[in-house]
Amino acid sequence: MARSSRTTALARLCSECCILHTSLKSRQAAKGGFMSARPAETDQPAKEPRRKGRLHTSTVDALHRMIVTGDLEPGQKLREQELCERLGVSRTPLREALRTLAAQGLVQLTQNRGAEVAPLTLADITALFDVVGSLEALAARLACKAMTDEAIAEIGVLHYRMMLHHVRDELPDYFALNQQIHRAIIEGAQNPVLLGVWEALAARVERAKYLPNLQPNRWKAAMHEHDAMLAALVARDGNELGRLMEAHFHNGLAAILAANGAEAPPETAVDGSA
């Protein structure tokens, strides 16, 4: 990104993020502050179960990140000793983490071959994007009606933090915030059935969504699409946000197909033109 473009983007980021932060702070202050005081903890749970829980979570998160970013490739055999040394854990938490990731569709466990990264074909990606694009479009329409002003402002803050990582070319940090934004809109729809279906696919979709952002032009276009999505959310224009959500997934899929030499449909512009 050119220096002048970076400067302009940073200036816009600082200005708009400050406005959002001030708005959120004033609204929360009127309701008694950002956070209520936490009650004193009278009963301390056993430290060992808590430690084991943290170890499981950190091991799952580390493997999840390695699979999503392509550090562990589709079809790659997951050798226990190598992963234990890499993650600094024993075989038991590693095996428990692999079972969790298998339930999420990221790992395959077989009796003869052991554990390996689940394959991810273009047909898989197409099917996932078609379904989740429609789910998120529905969530967008519902969220525009159901979300509070405070919740929308919080998404705005996430958006401008994400923009900063884009300006700095920090893809992993950008992508983490991107996932938070999509989840916040799904949760903002306040529909438990929709949330349940989305969560069942979330890990596999996250893995597929990471791929197009590896292409600089697509990453820049995706950021532009998120600008338009935020504007529609702030305006509570559910139909427009739903359309933009579907276009966002459509364009991401087109980038993946094109990068793999497959015939891709033309991109959908955020202004509604093809």
Side-chain angles (χ1 to χ4, degrees):
M1 185 179 291
R3 184 179 181 84
S4 59
S5 298
R6 287 177 180 270
T7 302
T8 301
L10 279 170
R12 175 189 165 199
L13 169 62
C14 293
S15 174
E16 296 187 339
C17 199
C18 284
I19 292 171
L20 277 166
H21 182 266
T22 300
S23 174
L24 179 59
K25 186 175 180 180
S26 62
R27 287 178 179 274
Q28 293 287 354
K31 294 184 177 182
F34 275 97
M35 298 178 63
S36 59
R38 296 180 61 184
E41 296 182 1
T42 56
D43 297 322
Q44 291 294 332
K47 292 184 179 180
E48 187 64 17
R50 181 179 292 183
R51 187 191 70 80
K52 288 182 178 179
R54 288 198 299 266
L55 180 60
H56 175 73
T57 300
S58 64
T59 305
V60 170
D61 288 347
L63 288 170
H64 179 277
R65 184 167 56 252
M66 292 160 69
I67 292 172
V68 167
T69 61
D71 189 11
L72 296 173
E73 299 180 351
Q76 181 175 338
K77 187 171 179 59
L78 301 174
R79 294 178 171 81
E80 287 188 358
Q81 183 175 351
E82 178 183 327
L83 288 174
C84 286
E85 293 175 356
R86 186 170 178 180
L87 299 175
V89 299
S90 64
R91 290 179 184 270
T92 298
L94 177 65
R95 289 172 179 172
E96 291 174 349
L98 290 175
R99 284 194 289 270
T100 297
L101 293 169
Q104 295 175 355
L106 296 180
V107 169
Q108 285 186 339
L109 301 176
T110 58
Q111 188 171 2
N112 296 327
R113 293 178 56 84
E116 60 184 37
V117 179
L120 185 66
T121 66
L122 290 179
D124 293 333
I125 295 172
T126 300
L128 285 168
F129 273 45
D130 283 346
V131 171
V132 177
S134 296
L135 285 175
E136 295 207 10
L138 173 58
R141 290 190 288 272
L142 295 174
C144 282
K145 297 178 180 178
M147 292 185 75
T148 64
D149 290 343
E150 290 84 355
I152 292 175
E154 287 168 359
I155 289 178
V157 172
L158 291 175
H159 175 87
Y160 292 113
R161 287 174 57 200
M162 182 177 72
M163 180 190 292
L164 179 59
H165 290 303
H166 176 255
V167 169
R168 292 174 172 170
D169 293 326
E170 297 168 342
L171 180 55
D173 294 323
Y174 165 93
F175 191 71
L177 287 167
N178 179 287
Q179 289 302 104
Q180 288 184 47
I181 290 170
H182 282 268
R183 173 174 285 277
I185 292 174
I186 290 288
E187 292 176 346
Q190 298 184 23
N191 185 309
V193 175
L194 177 59
L195 176 61
V197 174
W198 184 87
E199 284 190 326
L201 300 171
R204 296 167 63 199
V205 173
E206 182 179 356
R207 181 185 180 195
K209 282 177 61 181
Y210 196 86
L211 297 175
N213 288 321
L214 296 174
Q215 305 169 40
N217 288 341
R218 175 56 202 155
W219 188 10
K220 181 179 180 181
M223 188 67 243
H224 178 58
E225 289 165 12
H226 266 274
D227 285 339
M229 288 156 57
L230 178 61
L233 178 61
V234 170
R236 295 186 180 274
D237 188 340
N239 289 332
E240 176 65 2
L241 182 56
R243 185 190 71 78
L244 291 170
M245 279 288 195
E246 286 195 298
H248 186 59
F249 278 90
H250 174 93
N251 293 338
L253 176 60
I256 294 173
L257 295 176
N260 285 274
E263 184 176 352
E267 287 198 357
T268 302
V270 295
D271 62 2
S273 61

